[in-house]
Amino acid sequence: MSTPIVTLATSSQFPNLDPDEQGLPDALRERGIEPRIAVWDDPSVNWDDAGVVVVRSVRDYALNRQKFIDWARSVPRILNSAETMAWNTDKHYLQSLAKRGLPTIPTIWLEPEQNLSKQQIHSRFPASGDFVVKPTVSSGGRGTGRYTSTDAASRSEAIDHAMYELSEGRSVMVQRYLDVIDRQGETSLIYLNGLASYQVEKEPMLHPRFRSAKDSHVVDEVAHLADASEETWRWGEQIRKALHGYIKDVTGRDELLLFNRVDIVRGDEQSDSEFYVMEVSLIDGSLYLGSDDDLVGRFADAIQTRISW
């Protein structure tokens, strides 16, 4: 019986995987799997000979979204599926989840075809508090800016930020920044092969002072493994079920996701919900394997399970 092959797809920025995941090849070897690492857009790679391809550190997919989708569709065996990842590459998916009853942060969507003027963009921004501007297609926090609505200079920078993204043909999201994030951070719920696996608490990434998207306002993620509370897993299960149902409608089949990271934040005093879905990561989102020595092994076990089927 031949040794099964698993190729970990990465980007040229992380040719040896993200530091958080560099223990994964050894963990796969320990399970009798031959690990390989390949850059997703390297033309010299023969993906027909790559075994099961697990997408991980492809931090640059947003720079050429269609090329990435075409590549994923060309790979014979890829996890998560190409169609699921195609849906997840554009944060308009939050609209789909909201229609299924999941609480998402109220969002103003700016589209290139609207040909909005600066004044029209200005009128769509929140009248009070901080808010976030970001493109709907982005990875790793790129193109994200936090601004203060009542500060004229900050508001002007936000307008310029939105105008730039729109001029490049990118849709833009405008969301109220929840102050509770500064106090409590965010929570990431990690599912492996459809099962709740572990919970991570993350410190705020956006600087609490208003900053332009051009500034170094995004800091490295600081995440800690946390005891999973019944409350957050209850919320996570609600999200997982809605997501599973929607993906089934999109792809036409029942898909068991190898990995699924759900980012949530508690509602604040201005919120209508106990929690909000911040993001669902089915492509390159960190699984925070470095948060605990046991987590790399858990992910390797999940991969081994899938190639054994």
Side-chain angles (χ1 to χ4, degrees):
M1 184 176 178
S2 60
T3 301
I5 299 170
V6 168
T7 298
L8 305 170
T10 186
S11 61
S12 57
Q13 181 184 0
F14 299 101
N16 297 310
L17 300 178
D18 183 284
D20 198 48
E21 301 180 335
Q22 288 177 358
L24 190 54
D26 284 343
L28 292 173
R29 287 190 192 94
E30 291 171 0
R31 288 157 176 79
I33 299 168
E34 178 187 335
R36 299 178 183 175
I37 302 173
V39 174
W40 72 269
D41 57 352
D42 182 347
S44 69
V45 177
N46 179 7
W47 295 100
D48 291 334
D49 191 37
V52 175
V53 175
V54 175
V55 177
R56 288 314 311 134
S57 311
V58 292
R59 301 286 191 269
D60 58 353
Y61 78 81
L63 301 177
N64 196 333
R65 175 177 177 256
Q66 192 57 53
K67 182 179 180 181
F68 174 78
I69 292 172
D70 291 344
W71 164 78
R73 287 172 173 161
S74 74
V75 177
R77 299 180 66 191
I78 190 166
L79 298 172
N80 292 313
S81 76
E83 295 311 312
T84 292
M85 288 193 293
W87 171 77
N88 196 229
T89 56
D90 188 324
K91 291 180 178 60
H92 279 98
Y93 69 75
L94 290 170
Q95 293 177 325
S96 304
L97 297 181
K99 288 177 182 177
R100 288 188 168 247
L102 293 182
T104 59
I105 297 176
T107 302
I108 298 165
W109 303 87
L110 310 179
E111 308 295 346
E113 58 269 22
Q114 292 175 300
N115 295 313
L116 298 171
S117 67
K118 286 190 174 183
Q119 179 58 37
Q120 288 172 319
I121 291 174
H122 168 78
S123 67
R124 285 163 168 77
F125 285 165
S128 62
D130 282 10
F131 62 98
V132 174
V133 174
K134 59 185 174 183
T136 63
V137 178
S138 66
S139 177
R142 292 186 182 90
T144 300
R146 175 177 172 179
Y147 304 96
T148 295
S149 59
T150 54
D151 183 279
S154 181
R155 200 173 180 93
S156 177
E157 287 182 335
I159 293 170
D160 290 342
H161 178 185
M163 288 291 290
Y164 170 76
E165 298 293 347
L166 291 168
S167 71
E168 293 294 312
R170 292 188 282 265
S171 300
V172 172
M173 306 167 64
V174 181
Q175 296 179 321
R176 178 170 67 89
Y177 185 83
L178 300 179
D179 292 338
V180 69
I181 297 175
D182 285 339
R183 300 192 300 271
Q184 299 181 17
E186 300 176 32
T187 296
S188 289
L189 306 176
I190 313 296
Y191 295 80
L192 300 177
N193 285 331
L195 299 176
S197 185
Y198 54 96
Q199 176 176 320
V200 167
E201 300 295 337
K202 301 186 297 183
E203 296 181 9
M205 284 186 64
L206 294 179
H207 199 284
R209 289 179 291 116
F210 66 86
R211 303 297 293 273
S212 152
K214 297 177 291 185
D215 296 328
S216 57
H217 64 289
V218 177
V219 299
D220 291 335
E221 283 190 294
V222 179
H224 311 281
L225 190 67
D227 291 333
S229 70
E230 181 179 345
E231 179 183 50
T232 53
W233 280 126
R234 173 170 54 82
W235 296 341
E237 186 61 15
Q238 180 182 341
I239 299 166
R240 189 197 65 78
K241 286 181 177 179
L243 178 64
H244 180 79
Y246 186 78
I247 288 175
K248 185 176 180 180
D249 290 347
V250 170
T251 64
R253 63 189 180 87
D254 232 353
E255 178 179 356
L256 183 63
L257 300 170
L258 171 63
F259 57 88
N260 174 16
R261 192 189 90 196
V262 176
D263 293 343
I264 61 175
V265 62
R266 290 180 178 275
D268 60 14
E269 59 275 2
Q270 302 179 54
S271 303
D272 297 324
S273 178
E274 291 181 290
F275 74 98
Y276 287 114
V277 182
M278 298 284 289
E279 189 170 351
V280 174
S281 298
L282 307 177
I283 307 172
D284 71 321
S286 174
L287 300 179
Y288 309 109
L289 300 181
S291 301
D292 187 85
D293 293 341
D294 176 56
L295 300 185
V296 170
R298 287 197 207 179
F299 190 36
D301 286 341
I303 295 171
Q304 183 183 36
T305 297
R306 296 300 290 273
I307 65 176
S308 300
W309 291 357

